[in-house]
């Protein structure tokens, strides 16, 4: 309880950098969400938007309402910066429907998100990427990227091998 009082003194509007640090150190399960803490959290999220620190705060406080912002980060940053971390958190939040919709959007959205999924061998992720590979309505660029991303994890490699062995596998994708 004494820790909460000390941390809350850091959560003043004039100490934003300190607020981010204090929020990161809190045990979110033990802290009562007061109006001051809510304001400090929103300020910290605004200050760190698009960074790994933002994703970590969303994770720490289990802010599932921030899934669309996480998706934007994953798409924009791809396999760089906060992109893979945002994708991991979307997976943790069971946001497969959001991921699936974005993977079937325009090329830049699909490719950006695919890059953020690189190396992830989660069965749901492998299934999502496999769908892109097999979807002939997707652009060849998106499908080639999906082939490369699918092959970046051990479970994905196994799935890709089974897809390539299928006689209906698109010839245009074989070089990828």
């Amino acid at each position: 309880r004494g820790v909460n009082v000390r941390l809350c003194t850091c959560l003043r509007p004039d100490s934003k950098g300190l607020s981010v640090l204090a929020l990161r150190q809190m045990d979110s399960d033990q802290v009562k969400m007061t109006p001051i803490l809510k304001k400090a959290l929103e300020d910290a999220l605004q200050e760190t938007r698009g960074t790994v620190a933002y994703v970590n705060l969303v994770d720490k406080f289990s802010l599932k309402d921030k899934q669309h912002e996480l998706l934007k980060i994953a798409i924009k940053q791809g396999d760089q910066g906060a992109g893979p971390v945002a994708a991991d958190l979307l997976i943790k939040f069971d946001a497969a429907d959001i991921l699936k919709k974005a993977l079937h959007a325009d090329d830049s959205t699909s490719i950006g998100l695919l890059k953020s999924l690189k190396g992830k061998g989660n069965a749901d992720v492998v299934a999502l990427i496999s769908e892109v590979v097999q979807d002939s309505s997707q652009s060849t660029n998106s499908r080639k990227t999906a082939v490369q991303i699918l092959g970046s994890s051990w479970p994905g490699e196994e799935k890709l091998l089974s897809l390539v062995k299928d006689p209906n596998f698109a010839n245009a994708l074989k070089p990828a």
Side-chain angles (χ1 to χ4, degrees), residues 24 51-62 70 85 89:
R24 288 178 56 196
T51 67
V52 173
Y54 175 90
V55 177
N56 289 340
L57 284 172
V58 170
D59 185 19
K60 181 176 220 50
F61 290 92
S62 204
L70 293 171
V85 183
L89 190 51

Side-chain angles (χ1 to χ4, degrees), residues 134-152:
Q134 297 173 74
D135 185 356
S136 60
S137 69
Q138 293 277 86
S139 76
T140 303
N141 284 340
S142 288
R143 293 176 73 198
K144 283 181 177 180
T145 301
V147 166
Q148 293 167 347
I149 300 303
L150 189 58
S152 67

Side-chain angles (χ1 to χ4, degrees), residues 112-123:
L113 183 55
L114 283 165
K115 288 181 179 180
S116 74
L117 296 171
K118 185 177 183 177
K120 299 183 187 338
N122 172 303

Side-chain angles (χ1 to χ4, degrees), residues 50-122:
T51 67
V52 173
Y54 175 90
V55 177
N56 289 340
L57 284 172
V58 170
D59 185 19
K60 181 176 220 50
F61 290 92
S62 204
L63 303 173
K64 292 186 178 185
D65 63 319
K66 303 293 184 192
Q67 290 180 4
H68 289 287
E69 184 63 30
L70 293 171
L71 181 64
K72 288 179 192 175
I73 293 168
I75 292 166
K76 184 177 181 184
Q77 296 187 26
D79 60 354
Q80 304 297 312
V85 183
D88 284 339
L89 190 51
L90 284 167
I91 294 163
K92 179 179 175 182
F93 283 169
D94 289 327
D97 53 333
I98 292 171
L99 294 170
K100 184 175 185 170
K101 186 176 178 182
L103 285 170
H104 293 288
D106 61 86
D107 257 14
S108 62
T109 300
S110 177
I111 291 172
L113 183 55
L114 283 165
K115 288 181 179 180
S116 74
L117 296 171
K118 185 177 183 177
K120 299 183 187 338
N122 172 303

